[in-house]
Amino acid sequence: MRVDVVCVGDPFLDLIFLGLPAMPALGEERLAQRLKIVPGGMGNVAFALRRLGLDAVICGPVGRDLAGRLLEELMADVGVPWHGRTADATPVTVALPVHGDRALVSVMPALTVDTETLRGIEMRAVVVDLPNVPLLPPIPRIYAVVGDPEVAALEGRLPDSLADVHALVLNEREAMGLTRRSDGEAAAAHLAALGTTVVMTRGGAGAVAIEPDGQTTVVAAPPAAVHDATGAGDLFVSAYVWADLAGRPIAERLRLATRYASLSLERATDQLKGIPLADFLDEIGG
């Protein structure tokens, strides 16, 4: 099988409680307006990549529990191929969006890579959780990502080199957590000095990329009316990978990724986020 991008790792089953007026305090019950149940994590990334015209698939364990059976059905409904061995448990996240941000609670099995399945796929690139990079077989281009659990697993135990990683995409809080630095740009520079291009999102402040030689590129975030920011990082990753594989310059990659994430969040429905390529090109003028 030949594809453009393999998203390596477990997709999540996301339960998103929309329309909360405020975050509940301990012991307090609040009513949301509605519940959205969609694939998350690598499911978001793969879906958005496919919306952008790339042939993207997921390679990760397929849970046989109730959550996994539901997630497999949802993935099939949105047309994202999912390859992998069977597993006992499925990652699940509860998202509570409030005031343009969100709080997340997740349960997830230990990180792993289904190397046997992955070896049977020919690809241009992978998107993978940073702790799993050493478990990969030889890959042409590796885009690494992290979330809070991965930051906790790696805090104080960063590898000596990230030269095998084409780009590390993360947010400012994650960069500071990985490096134990209190300044986001200093944290990103430290990671870039390990041999990779670090692409760091900064919410309303836009995004910055720092290359191994220290060259820094900064872009502002476009204004956006966002009610549910769940999946913003996944959308950014997908658009950055799409633009990079198309050979766009780094400043353009950052602009396109921030714009794609903003537009997709603004147009969010009760389905997965990520606007089609034709709509995106119309918005940005081709």
Side-chain angles (χ1 to χ4, degrees):
M1 177 181 15
R2 294 182 179 180
V3 300
D4 291 311
V5 183
V6 180
C7 298
V8 178
D10 298 319
F12 277 67
L13 181 66
D14 278 1
L15 310 177
I16 305 172
F17 289 80
L18 296 169
L20 276 172
M23 201 64 65
L26 287 177
E28 179 185 17
E29 180 179 8
R30 286 186 177 270
L31 294 179
Q33 293 178 359
R34 65 188 190 279
L35 171 65
K36 180 165 70 172
I37 303 177
V38 292
M42 289 298 179
N44 278 332
V45 176
F47 177 78
L49 284 167
R50 293 180 73 85
R51 298 283 267 184
L52 287 165
L54 293 176
D55 186 7
V57 302
I58 291 175
C59 179
V62 183
R64 296 289 74 183
D65 54 348
L66 178 60
R69 296 196 298 273
L70 174 57
L71 182 56
E72 190 173 17
E73 181 178 334
L74 293 173
M75 296 293 290
D77 286 346
V78 297
V80 177
W82 184 3
H83 306 280
R85 57 177 174 75
T86 59
D88 294 330
T90 300
V92 178
T93 290
V94 172
L96 304 175
V98 176
H99 305 316
D101 207 336
R102 75 280 190 217
L104 306 171
V105 178
S106 298
V107 59
M108 58 186 290
L111 293 170
T112 186
V113 172
D114 185 351
T115 54
E116 183 178 352
T117 300
L118 191 59
R119 288 182 187 277
I121 306 173
E122 185 178 338
M123 71 214 74
R124 297 171 64 193
V126 300
V127 179
V128 65
D129 293 312
L130 181 59
N132 279 343
V133 168
L135 305 179
L136 295 173
I139 300 289
R141 186 174 292 194
I142 298 170
Y143 297 92
V145 296
V146 297
D148 288 334
E150 291 77 33
V151 169
L154 288 172
E155 185 180 5
R157 294 183 293 277
L158 281 173
D160 294 332
S161 172
L162 293 175
D164 290 338
V165 175
H166 181 72
L168 171 60
V169 188
L170 73 178
N171 65 36
E172 191 168 32
R173 186 190 71 256
E174 292 160 351
M176 292 188 292
L178 280 177
T179 61
R180 296 179 175 175
R181 281 167 165 74
S182 58
D183 178 79
E185 196 159 328
H190 175 81
L191 293 167
L194 298 178
T196 189
T197 296
V198 174
V199 181
M200 184 178 71
T201 60
R202 302 190 293 186
V208 58
I210 302 181
E211 299 174 73
D213 62 3
Q215 181 174 334
T216 300
T217 306
V218 179
V219 300
V226 175
H227 301 289
D228 172 18
T230 309
D234 299 327
L235 292 162
F236 182 95
V237 168
S238 299
Y240 183 87
V241 170
W242 163 75
D244 194 20
L245 290 177
R248 308 257 190 168
I250 193 163
E252 190 176 358
R253 283 176 241 159
L254 292 182
R255 285 194 296 270
L256 289 169
T258 54
R259 185 66 175 145
Y260 186 78
S262 296
L263 284 171
S264 295
L265 292 172
E266 285 183 327
R267 296 187 182 186
T269 67
D270 281 350
Q271 305 302 314
L272 271 175
K273 297 165 184 172
I275 62 175
L277 177 60
D279 291 354
F280 183 47
L281 293 178
D282 284 345
E283 286 284 350
I284 64 174

